[in-house]
Amino acid sequence: IRKETQSLLRFLVVDRQPEKILEVGTATGFSGILMWEASGKKTKITTIEKYEKRIPEARHNFERAGADKDIELLEGDALEILAGLKGEYPFIFMDAAKAQYINFLPDVTRLLSKGGILVTDNVLKGGDICESRYAVTRRDRTIHTRMREYLYELTHSDTYETVVLNNGDGVALSVKIK
């Protein structure tokens, strides 16, 4: 995640002090460790990753940071894993396959506690999301369309109060109000 997003994420975790966090998209574990450290190493984090090459690296990074007892890495397709998760999370950070955000949203909404915050990274995709569908390259049109659907859903839903920030590559902050 970009430096501006790191600062925002740190700020939100320090401000909110969530007991547990759900992260959709582990990558190498950087953001999970950042959130864990920002919480004073008190938060329990559940993180999901599908890409097999990143999983061992993330596990190694969690161990090296001393976070492996507090960060649980679930391996597999986020859509399937989210469907099977129970309980509520007061804080969810989404930084996974951008075109899938719209598909993750129903389960993310179910798992987010009332008053909880959903932080979604990369929602402006270098400014492309603000452009016409026909102004983006053909191979990026699916992501463009799905991200616009996702942002529309967040900003027009009576479930969320959402603000989109031009921070890093764009971050949506959504508080669950219903």
Side-chain angles (χ1 to χ4, degrees):
I1 57 177
R2 296 182 183 195
K3 286 200 180 292
E4 304 90 350
T5 306
Q6 291 174 37
S7 296
L8 179 63
L9 209 47
R10 242 187 247 106
F11 172 84
L12 291 169
V13 170
V14 167
D15 180 63
R16 293 264 175 158
Q17 289 295 303
E19 292 176 16
K20 60 183 189 171
I21 294 173
L22 174 62
E23 177 183 44
V24 184
T26 310
T28 62
F30 179 83
S31 54
I33 293 168
L34 180 139
M35 292 185 289
W36 177 72
E37 288 176 343
S39 77
K41 302 180 180 179
K42 298 175 189 169
T43 297
K44 299 293 183 192
I45 299 174
T46 302
T47 185
I48 304 167
E49 182 57 51
K50 178 180 179 178
Y51 190 53
E52 291 176 12
K53 292 182 180 182
R54 289 184 182 148
I55 292 169
E57 187 176 354
R59 287 194 189 285
H60 173 73
N61 290 336
F62 294 151
E63 286 176 28
R64 199 174 70 201
D68 52 316
K69 301 282 189 272
D70 293 322
I71 301 178
E72 177 185 17
L73 175 57
L74 304 177
E75 300 177 31
D77 184 82
L79 205 54
E80 294 172 11
I81 292 172
L82 288 168
L85 286 178
K86 305 281 187 244
E88 291 187 333
Y89 294 84
F91 195 107
I92 299 178
F93 178 55
M94 192 149 45
D95 188 16
K98 312 312 171 221
Q100 297 303 313
Y101 285 1
I102 190 71
N103 297 322
F104 298 153
L105 189 57
D107 279 314
V108 165
T109 300
R110 175 181 59 80
L111 293 164
L112 187 64
S113 57
K114 185 177 179 186
I117 188 166
L118 167 60
V119 181
T120 311
D121 198 16
N122 306 114
V123 296
L124 297 179
K125 201 173 174 318
D128 284 351
I129 300 306
C130 302
E131 298 289 337
S132 162
R133 178 180 191 277
Y134 300 103
V136 298
T137 60
R138 186 178 197 99
R139 69 179 182 82
D140 289 336
R141 286 186 185 161
T142 299
I143 292 172
H144 180 272
T145 300
R146 288 185 179 173
M147 186 60 77
R148 286 181 74 139
E149 288 173 13
Y150 177 75
L151 288 172
Y152 183 88
E153 188 65 32
L154 285 179
T155 58
H156 290 80
S157 166
D158 61 355
T159 302
Y160 289 107
E161 187 64 44
T162 298
V163 62
V164 178
L165 304 175
N166 187 19
N167 182 332
D169 198 20
V171 177
L173 302 178
S174 307
V175 175
K176 187 173 178 182
I177 55 176
K178 282 191 176 182

